[in-house]
Amino acid sequence: MPPRRKLSDLDRGRAIGWLQDGVAARQVAQRLAVAPSVIIRLKQRFHATGRVQERQRSGRPRVTTQREDRFIQRQAMQQRMATANNIRQRLQATTNTVVSGQTIRNRLHNFGLRARRPVRGTTLTANHRAARRAWCTQHVRWQRQQWAKVLFTDESRFCLEPADGRIRVWRRRGEHFAEGAVLERQRFGGGSVMVWGGISTRLRTPKGTATSPSSCQSGSTAAMAPAGVEWRSQSIHMQPDPLHAPTMC
């Protein structure tokens, strides 16, 4: 992470205290995760003015109040995929304040929100979520020897008509999977190619592929499962006899 360029009033006071105790400016900068030049300028300002606060800067006045800034943040958090222009229009309709789209982006940047590509995820209903939670609860205490009898499978479809990826979502650092920040989509619109495979602790299946010229509904993944494998909704248990049927890892 790049070093910060600004310090809070509390950190400025701590920095001056350390400097007066004889701590080197570079060490103070490391403790506060800032560039050494920040500490050097702070020291010079303190010696010149006796204050640690930054001087008030003259410049263009802010066109939004703190209340309007919170409104902008709330709109972005409630509707993550709203554009800056959408938020600008809502602000104008609600408060009669006219700002530019860049002003909206600046306010959101101040709150740590940046426009990023959303993580793509399959649409899940409440029943889907409940079933997945129940499965995890059922298997949370399984031991290694129990998992050794399970064949883990996965499949990947490569769609011939992917989305253009121009949709953006407002989110903070670490909010990839935050509610409202994931772009739900119906799976596999248009033609596609699917790759299927499975692994266990000692074995793996031959790679299988299937194509769907117009709809991903055609072509069954069960037809590509290795002999003796029992298909289940979340895990696939291998029968004892054909355990060595798949290719060895």
Side-chain angles (χ1 to χ4, degrees):
M1 179 182 297
R4 295 179 295 167
R5 296 186 177 182
K6 292 185 177 181
L7 292 173
S8 65
D9 289 343
L10 176 61
D11 286 339
R12 293 191 191 103
R14 295 169 62 193
I16 293 300
W18 284 329
L19 291 172
Q20 291 177 341
D21 288 340
V23 181
R26 184 173 296 276
Q27 293 179 344
V28 174
Q30 292 176 349
R31 294 180 182 182
L32 296 176
V34 296
S37 58
V38 175
I39 303 301
I40 294 174
R41 288 196 300 269
L42 174 62
K43 181 179 180 180
Q44 294 172 346
R45 182 167 66 248
F46 181 75
H47 286 323
T49 66
R51 299 170 56 89
V52 296
Q53 292 80 9
E54 292 185 347
R55 292 175 295 179
Q56 294 293 329
R57 300 175 182 269
S58 60
R60 187 175 181 178
R62 292 173 63 91
V63 295
T64 59
T65 64
Q66 292 184 354
R67 182 177 181 180
E68 291 168 342
D69 291 346
R70 292 193 297 270
F71 175 86
I72 293 171
Q73 179 197 27
R74 186 164 58 251
Q75 290 295 309
M77 295 297 295
Q78 291 176 350
Q79 300 186 20
R80 298 279 190 143
M81 297 180 190
T83 64
N85 190 50
N86 295 146
I87 300 176
R88 179 187 64 81
Q89 293 173 350
R90 294 171 193 163
L91 177 66
Q92 182 175 352
T94 304
T95 65
N96 202 30
T97 300
V98 180
V99 297
S100 66
Q102 184 59 49
T103 299
I104 299 296
R105 286 186 285 270
N106 291 341
R107 298 299 181 267
L108 293 175
H109 293 169
N110 292 338
F111 287 110
L113 292 165
R114 300 276 175 173
R116 298 287 187 264
R117 291 184 180 180
V119 176
R120 297 187 178 272
T122 305
T123 302
L124 296 177
T125 66
N127 290 337
H128 292 154
R129 300 176 190 273
R132 294 187 177 200
R133 188 181 300 110
W135 186 91
C136 293
T137 302
Q138 179 184 357
H139 297 83
V140 68
R141 298 188 181 280
W142 269 29
Q143 302 299 319
R144 183 184 297 270
Q145 59 270 23
Q146 292 173 288
W147 289 115
K149 300 177 182 179
V150 179
L151 176 66
F152 296 92
T153 64
D154 194 12
E155 62 184 34
S156 296
R157 282 191 186 269
F158 300 90
C159 294
L160 304 180
E161 299 179 5
D164 57 18
R166 289 182 291 180
I167 298 177
R168 295 293 187 270
V169 59
W170 295 106
R171 70 175 186 230
R172 301 185 184 92
R173 184 185 298 273
E175 288 188 334
H176 293 75
F177 298 99
E179 184 176 358
V182 177
L183 177 62
E184 295 186 350
R185 62 184 176 90
Q186 297 297 327
R187 299 183 68 189
F188 317 131
S192 65
V193 177
M194 185 188 70
V195 179
W196 182 95
I199 61 171
S200 68
T201 56
R202 294 181 297 168
L203 308 170
R204 68 184 180 191
T205 65
K207 180 175 65 175
T209 59
T211 59
S212 173
S214 60
S215 173
C216 294
Q217 299 299 325
S218 61
S220 172
T221 56
M224 292 177 289
V229 174
E230 177 187 352
W231 278 81
R232 297 192 180 182
S233 59
Q234 297 293 342
S235 63
I236 303 168
H237 288 256
M238 302 178 65
Q239 302 297 332
D241 292 339
L243 184 60
H244 299 283
T247 306
M248 294 294 294
C249 295

